[in-house]
Amino acid sequence: MVKPSSLLKPVALTRIPGRYLAHQESLPKLPVPPLKQTCDRYLAALEPIVDSEMLKNTQELVKEFQAQGGVGDRLQKGLEHRSRKTDNWLSDWWLQTAYLDYRLPVVVHSSPGVCVLCCSETLPIEYLGGKMLCMNQYYQVLCSCRIPGIKSDSVVNYALNKRPPSHITVVHNYQFFVLDVYNSDGTTLTVDQLYIQLEKIWNSSLQTNKEPIGILTSNHRNSWGKAYANLIKDKTNKESVRAIQKSIFTVCLDAPMPRVSDEMYRTRAAVQMLHGGGSRWNSGNRWFDKTLQFIIGEDGTCGVIYEHAPAEGPPIVALIDHVVEYTKKSEMVRTPMVPLPMPKKLRFNITPEIKRDIEEAKQNMNIMVHDLDMKVIVFSHFGKNVPKSYKMSPDAFIQVALQLAYYRTYKRCCATYESASLRMFKLGRTDTIRSATSDSANFVKTMDDPVKQVCSVAIRGQAIDRHLLGLKLQAIEDLSALPDIFMDTSFAVANHYNLSTSQVPAKTDCVMCFGPVVPDGYGVCYNPMEEHINFAVSAFNSCADTNAARMVQALEDALVDMKTLLDQTPKAKL
């Protein structure tokens, strides 16, 4: 008998109460924070990033907004009503506004890459601070895909079908194949069988196709939506696209990338995961709408890119940790002697119009590739062991170092976004930790004030950003005029995140990477290991004021200086 794979088994499950989802109904609902609390915290968040005149004007608007019986009070009641009648008042709105209505390409702007720097089971329920976390996102990762639309996208998930998909898709030299990974008796192929099937795919696709159909998925969403509608008019094309969308995940077998120095290897690997290197290299060797794509380069470079709409980073790196651990085990099974059929190649009929769409997508992808300024480093001076030895949160320590690095570079504080998980709540996604506070501003200016920890506020559903978004969307839903507080310059400044950051810790020595969220900003992701920290910092070359390498150097200096400060401070005073 062939042993079933623990990695792929969950896709065959149906949504019945069991160990995997048994706790879902017991999870609390995401609360709607009190209006006054959010207004007070909003004003506090503005203090370090706007001038006194702007702040004074906003204080007047906030006072008017939260007045008894005023517009804010009415919108708050609307949100509370929505909360009572839904499992999560935010989740559908967030999926739509943050992802499916977002029309820039998913490449660089939305989908993170993960670069691995080293090389009857169910998922155990996860906990944070002793509280169970929502496991729903794990069900959204496999057998799912984003579907482009003209004005808005959607996400389809085939995992819950009566007959869940039993195949993955493999792409090599821009050519897509269907690889069945289950036998008729429900067991999975052995490692040897998978190797044989992958080798068949490799040998039958040695010549690069002229038309990289997958690069269409990298284009602006409206352009891709129109091209998609045209593409699937053809029956053969429609069947091929459906096979990709339904697959458990996609494996991208990449062609060689340009050789670089050892120092630049990690950065080159990261951009290979994030965008593929451009149309000349591997950007056409993807289906960027696919939720999960494993990428393997000829030189052993490996990692993942995932489409962000269905899930956040932590479930993805948990899956990577699982895969890495699984591959360390030797497979003690006998490979059946029955020969397997050749994996089916997916065919596409390319019309002149589709060819033009491909050329447009190539050009736009190459512009994005040349504009992205990425730097991946391993900070080797210390890891999370140092802040922990001083009874400090490693994440808070790194966030303050980022504030210090930015202030030293630009002589000002900026709106800073750090993703905070809301998975303590049913169907919870994220809210924002605003790391730029009055206390952090004082610290970076003086290097001697205590650091305020703000993370716990966000993960307990009491942060301000999603609440303010909810109030704004409630006003739009009520077809009322948008309140002045949302038209205020301060609101625009507060949501212009020059630093967009995320801690994505993993057991595996890897780092996630993504692009900046504003033209003059930085994207910073980090994985604090015990004795080192992996950082990926991105910026845009089209902005003269930003530079990823310069920010990395400022960040390294800030971390070292903060450790020196701690070492010079008697522990009794900490």
Side-chain angles (χ1 to χ4, degrees):
M1 287 293 289
V2 182
K3 185 180 75 173
S5 162
S6 60
L7 170 61
L8 297 179
K9 197 173 178 184
V11 303
L13 296 177
T14 53
R15 246 187 217 270
I16 57 174
R19 191 156 70 97
Y20 185 67
L21 283 176
H23 72 299
Q24 285 292 104
E25 291 305 316
S26 67
L27 288 169
K29 281 189 172 187
L30 178 69
V32 178
L35 182 61
K36 184 179 186 307
Q37 173 184 291
T38 292
C39 288
D40 290 346
R41 288 177 175 171
Y42 174 53
L43 291 173
L46 291 176
E47 284 182 22
I49 59 173
V50 301
D51 61 39
S52 56
E53 190 176 330
M54 285 172 64
L55 184 61
K56 187 176 179 181
N57 180 60
T58 305
Q59 285 169 338
E60 290 300 315
L61 293 177
V62 168
K63 184 179 178 182
E64 179 186 335
F65 180 73
Q66 64 176 336
Q68 188 73 30
V71 63
D73 197 33
R74 177 172 56 78
L75 296 176
Q76 177 76 0
K77 285 182 170 64
L79 269 191
E80 289 167 352
H81 175 71
R82 179 183 173 91
S83 178
R84 285 192 294 273
K85 68 177 185 178
T86 59
D87 281 339
N88 185 308
W89 64 264
L90 173 66
S91 58
D92 288 346
W93 269 348
W94 181 246
L95 176 65
Q96 202 66 37
T97 58
Y99 299 111
L100 302 182
D101 289 347
Y102 188 69
R103 307 320 288 156
L104 286 178
V106 293
V107 186
V108 174
H109 299 286
S110 177
S111 300
V114 183
C115 174
V116 179
L117 302 181
C118 69
C119 263
S120 128
E121 292 191 23
T122 56
L123 289 164
I125 292 167
E126 295 174 345
Y127 292 82
L128 179 64
K131 294 186 182 294
M132 292 188 296
L133 298 181
C134 178
M135 300 297 287
N136 179 67
Q137 288 180 38
Y138 284 96
Y139 264 107
Q140 312 308 318
V141 171
L142 303 175
C143 308
S144 62
C145 194
R146 183 166 174 156
I147 310 294
I150 305 298
K151 293 182 179 178
S152 181
D153 294 352
S154 57
V155 173
V156 63
N157 188 324
Y158 295 95
L160 306 179
N161 286 9
K162 286 184 179 178
R163 294 185 61 191
S166 59
H167 71 279
I168 64 171
T169 37
V170 179
V171 54
H172 178 234
N173 279 335
Y174 313 151
Q175 297 157 71
F176 287 85
F177 295 81
V178 167
L179 171 51
D180 287 311
V181 291
Y182 284 92
N183 295 301
S184 56
D185 63 357
T187 58
T188 54
L189 301 193
T190 65
V191 170
D192 286 345
Q193 287 177 311
L194 287 169
Y195 178 83
I196 290 166
Q197 295 297 83
L198 289 169
E199 195 172 38
K200 288 178 186 175
I201 289 171
W202 182 275
N203 288 329
S204 66
S205 55
L206 294 175
Q207 296 301 313
T208 303
N209 266 20
K210 289 182 181 178
E211 303 302 338
I213 194 77
I215 207 163
L216 288 171
T217 63
S218 72
N219 213 356
H220 187 283
R221 301 308 297 177
N222 290 355
S223 301
W224 169 218
K226 291 174 188 172
Y228 177 82
N230 184 45
L231 178 70
I232 63 172
K233 284 178 185 174
D234 180 277
K235 184 184 176 185
T236 299
N237 293 350
K238 187 173 184 177
E239 288 175 355
S240 295
V241 168
R242 288 286 184 272
I244 297 169
Q245 292 168 343
K246 286 185 173 183
S247 62
I248 299 167
F249 54 77
T250 296
V251 172
C252 309
L253 303 177
D254 274 7
M257 291 284 283
R259 294 179 67 87
V260 293
S261 65
D262 290 346
E263 183 190 357
M264 288 299 297
Y265 170 76
R266 294 185 185 95
T267 298
R268 195 218 67 188
V271 297
Q272 183 176 354
M273 301 310 135
L274 195 61
H275 56 55
S279 65
R280 184 184 170 191
W281 305 102
N282 291 293
S283 295
N285 210 49
R286 305 279 185 274
W287 195 267
F288 286 108
D289 287 355
K290 192 67 189 155
T291 304
L292 185 62
Q293 297 188 92
F294 291 95
I295 300 165
I296 297 99
E298 277 194 21
D299 62 355
T301 302
C302 61
V304 161
I305 184 169
Y306 78 96
E307 202 286 303
H308 210 332
E312 316 305 338
I316 301 298
V317 295
L319 184 62
I320 291 171
D321 285 340
H322 178 84
V323 170
V324 170
E325 284 304 309
Y326 188 83
T327 57
K328 292 177 182 175
K329 302 172 186 174
S330 58
E331 189 178 49
M332 304 299 289
V333 292
R334 182 170 51 83
T335 298
M337 299 302 290
V338 182
L340 294 167
M342 175 70 196
K344 178 188 172 187
K345 183 175 181 178
L346 298 177
R347 304 288 177 182
F348 290 92
N349 294 321
I350 308 297
T351 64
E353 190 176 355
I354 293 169
K355 185 174 170 60
R356 285 195 296 272
D357 292 333
I358 289 172
E359 288 305 312
E360 178 193 302
K362 280 184 183 179
Q363 291 173 18
N364 290 338
M365 168 58 88
N366 292 340
I367 291 168
M368 276 195 293
V369 166
H370 290 128
D371 193 24
L372 187 70
D373 175 21
M374 175 73 73
K375 185 76 173 173
V376 173
I377 62 141
V378 176
F379 177 79
S380 55
H381 297 270
F382 57 86
K384 59 186 177 184
N385 54 335
V386 164
K388 281 165 66 177
S389 71
Y390 286 95
K391 295 182 170 54
M392 290 182 174
S393 156
D395 183 49
F397 188 86
I398 294 168
Q399 282 291 324
V400 173
L402 280 165
Q403 293 297 310
L404 181 57
Y406 192 91
Y407 185 80
R408 284 174 168 176
T409 306
Y410 296 100
K411 301 297 180 281
R412 64 180 178 89
C413 299
C414 71
T416 304
Y417 179 109
E418 184 189 5
S419 179
S421 174
L422 290 176
R423 285 177 59 210
M424 282 184 179
F425 305 101
K426 189 174 184 180
L427 304 182
R429 293 293 298 258
T430 64
D431 207 327
T432 308
I433 301 169
R434 285 184 170 267
S435 311
T437 65
S438 294
D439 286 325
S440 69
N442 289 336
F443 175 80
V444 299
K445 292 169 186 174
T446 63
M447 279 283 279
D448 65 2
D449 277 359
V451 180
K452 184 178 182 182
Q453 167 62 286
V454 295
C455 172
S456 61
V457 169
I459 63 174
R460 285 171 174 77
Q462 299 297 318
I464 63 172
D465 285 83
R466 302 300 183 261
H467 187 199
L468 289 171
L469 173 67
L471 293 166
K472 181 180 177 182
L473 293 175
Q474 188 67 50
I476 293 169
E477 199 167 271
D478 292 349
L479 300 176
S480 59
L482 208 57
D484 289 342
I485 186 177
F486 301 121
M487 307 295 284
D488 182 29
T489 305
S490 291
F491 189 73
V493 172
N495 288 281
H496 187 89
Y497 294 109
N498 293 101
L499 281 176
S500 177
T501 74
S502 185
Q503 175 189 232
V504 185
K507 296 174 187 172
T508 305
D509 201 7
C510 64
V511 67
M512 192 169 280
C513 54
F514 47 78
V517 298
V518 294
D520 58 341
Y522 293 95
V524 183
C525 198
Y526 50 95
N527 176 14
M529 307 295 283
E530 194 60 32
E531 296 185 355
H532 67 274
I533 308 169
N534 299 327
F535 284 102
V537 176
S538 65
F540 289 123
N541 287 316
S542 52
C543 177
D545 291 337
T546 57
N547 183 289
R550 185 177 64 192
M551 180 52 66
V552 161
Q553 188 59 58
L555 178 57
E556 288 191 276
D557 292 344
L559 286 164
V560 170
D561 290 350
M562 285 169 60
K563 179 182 182 296
T564 301
L565 178 67
L566 287 176
D567 291 343
Q568 292 172 349
T569 306
K571 287 201 174 183
K573 292 187 178 181
L574 292 174

